[in-house]
Amino acid sequence: MVGGTWLPAWLRRSSQDGDRLRGTSRSSLCGAEGRSMWGRTRSRLWAGCSHLLPREAAFRARKLSAFAAAATPRHGQWSPALLATSGSSLGTSTGLLRRLALGHGTFCRWGSRFNVPPSAQFVARPVGVCSMMKLPIQASAEGLDAAFVGVPLDTGTSNRPGARFGPRQIRAESVMVRSYNGSTGAAPFDSLRVADIGDVNVNLYNLPDSCRLIRESYQKIVASGCMPLTLGGDHTITYPILQAVAEKHGPLGLVHVDAHTDTSDRALGEKIYHGTPFRRCVEEGLLDCSRVVQIGIRGSSYDPNPYQYCREQGFRVVPAEECWSKSLVPLMGEVRKQMGDKPVYISFDIDGLDPAYAPGTGTPEIAGLTPAQALEIIRGCKGLNVVGCDLVEVAPMYDVSGNTALLAANLLFEMLCVLPGVKTM
């Protein structure tokens, strides 16, 4: 026990050496005793923590550990020659750990060439910089097959604000999501190179400018060949995202899960807010309207025929009443036929689910979908030519349990699992 906390034997011995070093003068560290203690401490830390380091550093750590064992089979002491050639200076070690803290790379214990979330069997869940599933953080999508990206914007909301904090809370809750999908057998991290590329730097004081910033950011993401998985943010963000994605892929099919159709024309004189994104997309030709399905739609309305516009465009609208107390697997079989092999985008508003399961949102509507039905919808997209996804409208302050964000993190993982190229085990 150290300070009331249990430590493994290798770290306990390193801690004891550290206590001795703290009482040692700087000049004496250059002597044999100092080198011995530093050697033992560093070799144990390298051996115990190598799986936390970036790929290139982890290889070096294993090499150093092996060299240390070979050089000091009896005494656990590094030779001066080894210390001189190993690059094991305090500055080097600090630099490597700093890179880890900043999220630059991760080490796969199983030797995969892809980024793999660390197992909680070896790295405690609260440890490390907060990223989606504790994946490495990259500055751009270059070299990635898929990327998680946050868009912390909620200035398009019409009721309760707070979705700007959605990406942060979804990342925090995602520590509970593991590498493999035990239900479907999907192994996304053995199939695709995935990372968290941070957040779009939105303008909270100017919604049209935020749309520009989002569009330009996603143009770069899709131009790199990367499939974006977006953490919202209110549903306004889907409009500029689809502008960028359709620019590359042409008119898109859309699997849209929501309590609302989000096809209003304007509110308070404004044409851009979270109730209008799909009308704007229709006007700009971003959607293949014969391949749009909206699932879970419900709630009161200002119009006696609230679905008229959608159906006039050719959308398939599936009200929540048609989903009650039944499996949605047959529905998704029909949706797959409707979508064909052309590009498809998935947009999932968390308020599509009943507020009993997802209360942390800005415009909740009663009598919604269940989490099991949400899984059936997303898993039913397997085999489609999915080119991007988003999960929007998580407002964490309305759910102190964190369950809404936890549900969102799991649904994003399920979306990752149905991307093209993900193999099953």
Side-chain angles (χ1 to χ4, degrees), residues 343-364:
V344 176
Y345 187 89
I346 302 172
S347 186
F348 200 115
D349 188 325
I350 201 69
D351 71 24
L353 300 181
D354 191 271
Y357 306 106
T361 191
T363 49

PDB file of all heavy atoms in Angstrom, residues 343-364:
ATOM      1  N   PRO A 343     -24.539   6.074 -52.384  1.00  0.00           N
ATOM      2  CA  PRO A 343     -24.120   6.625 -51.084  1.00  0.00           C
ATOM      3  C   PRO A 343     -25.292   6.969 -50.166  1.00  0.00           C
ATOM      4  O   PRO A 343     -26.316   7.512 -50.612  1.00  0.00           O
ATOM      5  CB  PRO A 343     -23.327   7.878 -51.477  1.00  0.00           C
ATOM      6  CG  PRO A 343     -22.838   7.595 -52.857  1.00  0.00           C
ATOM      7  CD  PRO A 343     -23.923   6.803 -53.512  1.00  0.00           C
ATOM      8  N   VAL A 344     -25.109   6.656 -48.888  1.00  0.00           N
ATOM      9  CA  VAL A 344     -26.136   6.860 -47.870  1.00  0.00           C
ATOM     10  C   VAL A 344     -25.506   7.565 -46.677  1.00  0.00           C
ATOM     11  O   VAL A 344     -24.367   7.270 -46.286  1.00  0.00           O
ATOM     12  CB  VAL A 344     -26.735   5.511 -47.405  1.00  0.00           C
ATOM     13  CG1 VAL A 344     -27.734   5.723 -46.264  1.00  0.00           C
ATOM     14  CG2 VAL A 344     -27.399   4.784 -48.570  1.00  0.00           C
ATOM     15  N   TYR A 345     -26.258   8.476 -46.090  1.00  0.00           N
ATOM     16  CA  TYR A 345     -25.841   9.160 -44.861  1.00  0.00           C
ATOM     17  C   TYR A 345     -26.832   8.820 -43.761  1.00  0.00           C
ATOM     18  O   TYR A 345     -28.048   8.764 -43.992  1.00  0.00           O
ATOM     19  CB  TYR A 345     -25.799  10.678 -45.094  1.00  0.00           C
ATOM     20  CG  TYR A 345     -25.209  11.472 -43.944  1.00  0.00           C
ATOM     21  CD1 TYR A 345     -23.841  11.712 -43.877  1.00  0.00           C
ATOM     22  CD2 TYR A 345     -26.024  11.982 -42.943  1.00  0.00           C
ATOM     23  CE1 TYR A 345     -23.289  12.434 -42.820  1.00  0.00           C
ATOM     24  CE2 TYR A 345     -25.489  12.705 -41.889  1.00  0.00           C
ATOM     25  CZ  TYR A 345     -24.120  12.928 -41.835  1.00  0.00           C
ATOM     26  OH  TYR A 345     -23.580  13.632 -40.786  1.00  0.00           O
ATOM     27  N   ILE A 346     -26.326   8.590 -42.543  1.00  0.00           N
ATOM     28  CA  ILE A 346     -27.175   8.304 -41.381  1.00  0.00           C
ATOM     29  C   ILE A 346     -27.164   9.515 -40.462  1.00  0.00           C
ATOM     30  O   ILE A 346     -26.099   9.969 -40.038  1.00  0.00           O
ATOM     31  CB  ILE A 346     -26.670   7.073 -40.607  1.00  0.00           C
ATOM     32  CG1 ILE A 346     -26.617   5.835 -41.506  1.00  0.00           C
ATOM     33  CG2 ILE A 346     -27.554   6.805 -39.392  1.00  0.00           C
ATOM     34  CD1 ILE A 346     -25.948   4.632 -40.855  1.00  0.00           C
ATOM     35  N   SER A 347     -28.358  10.027 -40.159  1.00  0.00           N
ATOM     36  CA  SER A 347     -28.467  11.144 -39.221  1.00  0.00           C
ATOM     37  C   SER A 347     -29.416  10.737 -38.106  1.00  0.00           C
ATOM     38  O   SER A 347     -30.602  10.485 -38.347  1.00  0.00           O
ATOM     39  CB  SER A 347     -28.985  12.404 -39.925  1.00  0.00           C
ATOM     40  OG  SER A 347     -28.969  13.509 -39.048  1.00  0.00           O
ATOM     41  N   PHE A 348     -28.890  10.680 -36.888  1.00  0.00           N
ATOM     42  CA  PHE A 348     -29.653  10.161 -35.748  1.00  0.00           C
ATOM     43  C   PHE A 348     -29.788  11.252 -34.696  1.00  0.00           C
ATOM     44  O   PHE A 348     -28.816  11.631 -34.055  1.00  0.00           O
ATOM     45  CB  PHE A 348     -28.941   8.944 -35.160  1.00  0.00           C
ATOM     46  CG  PHE A 348     -29.818   8.050 -34.325  1.00  0.00           C
ATOM     47  CD1 PHE A 348     -30.085   6.757 -34.734  1.00  0.00           C
ATOM     48  CD2 PHE A 348     -30.388   8.504 -33.144  1.00  0.00           C
ATOM     49  CE1 PHE A 348     -30.905   5.914 -33.982  1.00  0.00           C
ATOM     50  CE2 PHE A 348     -31.207   7.683 -32.381  1.00  0.00           C
ATOM     51  CZ  PHE A 348     -31.466   6.379 -32.808  1.00  0.00           C
ATOM     52  N   ASP A 349     -31.015  11.757 -34.532  1.00  0.00           N
ATOM     53  CA  ASP A 349     -31.323  12.700 -33.467  1.00  0.00           C
ATOM     54  C   ASP A 349     -31.707  11.886 -32.242  1.00  0.00           C
ATOM     55  O   ASP A 349     -32.614  11.050 -32.304  1.00  0.00           O
ATOM     56  CB  ASP A 349     -32.476  13.607 -33.905  1.00  0.00           C
ATOM     57  CG  ASP A 349     -32.756  14.747 -32.938  1.00  0.00           C
ATOM     58  OD1 ASP A 349     -32.610  14.536 -31.714  1.00  0.00           O
ATOM     59  OD2 ASP A 349     -33.154  15.831 -33.408  1.00  0.00           O
ATOM     60  N   ILE A 350     -31.040  12.136 -31.120  1.00  0.00           N
ATOM     61  CA  ILE A 350     -31.286  11.344 -29.919  1.00  0.00           C
ATOM     62  C   ILE A 350     -32.730  11.477 -29.441  1.00  0.00           C
ATOM     63  O   ILE A 350     -33.233  10.583 -28.738  1.00  0.00           O
ATOM     64  CB  ILE A 350     -30.286  11.717 -28.797  1.00  0.00           C
ATOM     65  CG1 ILE A 350     -30.161  10.591 -27.757  1.00  0.00           C
ATOM     66  CG2 ILE A 350     -30.679  13.041 -28.154  1.00  0.00           C
ATOM     67  CD1 ILE A 350     -29.481   9.356 -28.259  1.00  0.00           C
ATOM     68  N   ASP A 351     -33.435  12.549 -29.842  1.00  0.00           N
ATOM     69  CA  ASP A 351     -34.832  12.664 -29.416  1.00  0.00           C
ATOM     70  C   ASP A 351     -35.758  11.733 -30.197  1.00  0.00           C
ATOM     71  O   ASP A 351     -36.960  11.660 -29.919  1.00  0.00           O
ATOM     72  CB  ASP A 351     -35.334  14.107 -29.430  1.00  0.00           C
ATOM     73  CG  ASP A 351     -35.527  14.700 -30.823  1.00  0.00           C
ATOM     74  OD1 ASP A 351     -35.717  13.948 -31.793  1.00  0.00           O
ATOM     75  OD2 ASP A 351     -35.502  15.942 -30.943  1.00  0.00           O
ATOM     76  N   GLY A 352     -35.212  11.003 -31.161  1.00  0.00           N
ATOM     77  CA  GLY A 352     -35.977   9.926 -31.779  1.00  0.00           C
ATOM     78  C   GLY A 352     -36.337   8.849 -30.765  1.00  0.00           C
ATOM     79  O   GLY A 352     -37.343   8.140 -30.922  1.00  0.00           O
ATOM     80  N   LEU A 353     -35.514   8.733 -29.733  1.00  0.00           N
ATOM     81  CA  LEU A 353     -35.784   7.776 -28.668  1.00  0.00           C
ATOM     82  C   LEU A 353     -36.736   8.380 -27.644  1.00  0.00           C
ATOM     83  O   LEU A 353     -36.799   9.608 -27.470  1.00  0.00           O
ATOM     84  CB  LEU A 353     -34.480   7.365 -27.983  1.00  0.00           C
ATOM     85  CG  LEU A 353     -33.445   6.704 -28.888  1.00  0.00           C
ATOM     86  CD1 LEU A 353     -32.215   6.330 -28.087  1.00  0.00           C
ATOM     87  CD2 LEU A 353     -34.022   5.478 -29.571  1.00  0.00           C
ATOM     88  N   ASP A 354     -37.455   7.531 -26.961  1.00  0.00           N
ATOM     89  CA  ASP A 354     -38.359   7.995 -25.920  1.00  0.00           C
ATOM     90  C   ASP A 354     -37.565   8.681 -24.810  1.00  0.00           C
ATOM     91  O   ASP A 354     -36.484   8.217 -24.440  1.00  0.00           O
ATOM     92  CB  ASP A 354     -39.136   6.807 -25.355  1.00  0.00           C
ATOM     93  CG  ASP A 354     -40.279   7.252 -24.463  1.00  0.00           C
ATOM     94  OD1 ASP A 354     -40.043   7.418 -23.238  1.00  0.00           O
ATOM     95  OD2 ASP A 354     -41.383   7.441 -24.979  1.00  0.00           O
ATOM     96  N   PRO A 355     -38.090   9.787 -24.248  1.00  0.00           N
ATOM     97  CA  PRO A 355     -37.340  10.480 -23.191  1.00  0.00           C
ATOM     98  C   PRO A 355     -37.156   9.664 -21.920  1.00  0.00           C
ATOM     99  O   PRO A 355     -36.356  10.036 -21.062  1.00  0.00           O
ATOM    100  CB  PRO A 355     -38.167  11.750 -22.940  1.00  0.00           C
ATOM    101  CG  PRO A 355     -39.504  11.486 -23.541  1.00  0.00           C
ATOM    102  CD  PRO A 355     -39.281  10.528 -24.665  1.00  0.00           C
ATOM    103  N   ALA A 356     -37.855   8.548 -21.790  1.00  0.00           N
ATOM    104  CA  ALA A 356     -37.574   7.650 -20.668  1.00  0.00           C
ATOM    105  C   ALA A 356     -36.156   7.098 -20.762  1.00  0.00           C
ATOM    106  O   ALA A 356     -35.514   6.818 -19.753  1.00  0.00           O
ATOM    107  CB  ALA A 356     -38.576   6.500 -20.640  1.00  0.00           C
ATOM    108  N   TYR A 357     -35.666   6.947 -22.012  1.00  0.00           N
ATOM    109  CA  TYR A 357     -34.320   6.423 -22.239  1.00  0.00           C
ATOM    110  C   TYR A 357     -33.305   7.534 -22.494  1.00  0.00           C
ATOM    111  O   TYR A 357     -32.116   7.362 -22.209  1.00  0.00           O
ATOM    112  CB  TYR A 357     -34.322   5.478 -23.453  1.00  0.00           C
ATOM    113  CG  TYR A 357     -35.335   4.369 -23.367  1.00  0.00           C
ATOM    114  CD1 TYR A 357     -36.497   4.406 -24.143  1.00  0.00           C
ATOM    115  CD2 TYR A 357     -35.149   3.294 -22.509  1.00  0.00           C
ATOM    116  CE1 TYR A 357     -37.435   3.385 -24.077  1.00  0.00           C
ATOM    117  CE2 TYR A 357     -36.085   2.273 -22.432  1.00  0.00           C
ATOM    118  CZ  TYR A 357     -37.228   2.325 -23.213  1.00  0.00           C
ATOM    119  OH  TYR A 357     -38.156   1.323 -23.134  1.00  0.00           O
ATOM    120  N   ALA A 358     -33.764   8.627 -23.074  1.00  0.00           N
ATOM    121  CA  ALA A 358     -32.848   9.706 -23.458  1.00  0.00           C
ATOM    122  C   ALA A 358     -33.450  11.059 -23.089  1.00  0.00           C
ATOM    123  O   ALA A 358     -33.870  11.832 -23.960  1.00  0.00           O
ATOM    124  CB  ALA A 358     -32.551   9.640 -24.956  1.00  0.00           C
ATOM    125  N   PRO A 359     -33.494  11.360 -21.790  1.00  0.00           N
ATOM    126  CA  PRO A 359     -34.073  12.647 -21.371  1.00  0.00           C
ATOM    127  C   PRO A 359     -33.174  13.846 -21.643  1.00  0.00           C
ATOM    128  O   PRO A 359     -33.649  14.978 -21.651  1.00  0.00           O
ATOM    129  CB  PRO A 359     -34.273  12.451 -19.862  1.00  0.00           C
ATOM    130  CG  PRO A 359     -33.227  11.453 -19.472  1.00  0.00           C
ATOM    131  CD  PRO A 359     -33.102  10.528 -20.637  1.00  0.00           C
ATOM    132  N   GLY A 360     -31.897  13.603 -21.866  1.00  0.00           N
ATOM    133  CA  GLY A 360     -30.945  14.697 -22.036  1.00  0.00           C
ATOM    134  C   GLY A 360     -30.945  15.257 -23.433  1.00  0.00           C
ATOM    135  O   GLY A 360     -29.984  15.085 -24.195  1.00  0.00           O
ATOM    136  N   THR A 361     -32.007  15.951 -23.780  1.00  0.00           N
ATOM    137  CA  THR A 361     -32.118  16.538 -25.112  1.00  0.00           C
ATOM    138  C   THR A 361     -32.999  17.779 -25.032  1.00  0.00           C
ATOM    139  O   THR A 361     -33.711  17.990 -24.047  1.00  0.00           O
ATOM    140  CB  THR A 361     -32.695  15.506 -26.115  1.00  0.00           C
ATOM    141  OG1 THR A 361     -32.567  16.005 -27.443  1.00  0.00           O
ATOM    142  CG2 THR A 361     -34.143  15.174 -25.815  1.00  0.00           C
ATOM    143  N   GLY A 362     -32.978  18.586 -26.080  1.00  0.00           N
ATOM    144  CA  GLY A 362     -33.615  19.892 -26.018  1.00  0.00           C
ATOM    145  C   GLY A 362     -35.085  19.928 -26.362  1.00  0.00           C
ATOM    146  O   GLY A 362     -35.815  20.785 -25.885  1.00  0.00           O
ATOM    147  N   THR A 363     -35.546  18.998 -27.237  1.00  0.00           N
ATOM    148  CA  THR A 363     -36.949  19.010 -27.660  1.00  0.00           C
ATOM    149  C   THR A 363     -37.525  17.600 -27.539  1.00  0.00           C
ATOM    150  O   THR A 363     -37.816  16.943 -28.548  1.00  0.00           O
ATOM    151  CB  THR A 363     -37.084  19.516 -29.108  1.00  0.00           C
ATOM    152  OG1 THR A 363     -36.152  18.807 -29.944  1.00  0.00           O
ATOM    153  CG2 THR A 363     -36.794  20.995 -29.202  1.00  0.00           C
ATOM    154  N   PRO A 364     -37.690  17.093 -26.315  1.00  0.00           N
ATOM    155  CA  PRO A 364     -38.168  15.718 -26.133  1.00  0.00           C
ATOM    156  C   PRO A 364     -39.633  15.559 -26.529  1.00  0.00           C
ATOM    157  O   PRO A 364     -40.431  16.494 -26.383  1.00  0.00           O
ATOM    158  CB  PRO A 364     -37.970  15.477 -24.635  1.00  0.00           C
ATOM    159  CG  PRO A 364     -38.046  16.837 -24.018  1.00  0.00           C
ATOM    160  CD  PRO A 364     -37.457  17.775 -25.027  1.00  0.00           C
TER     161      PRO A 364
END
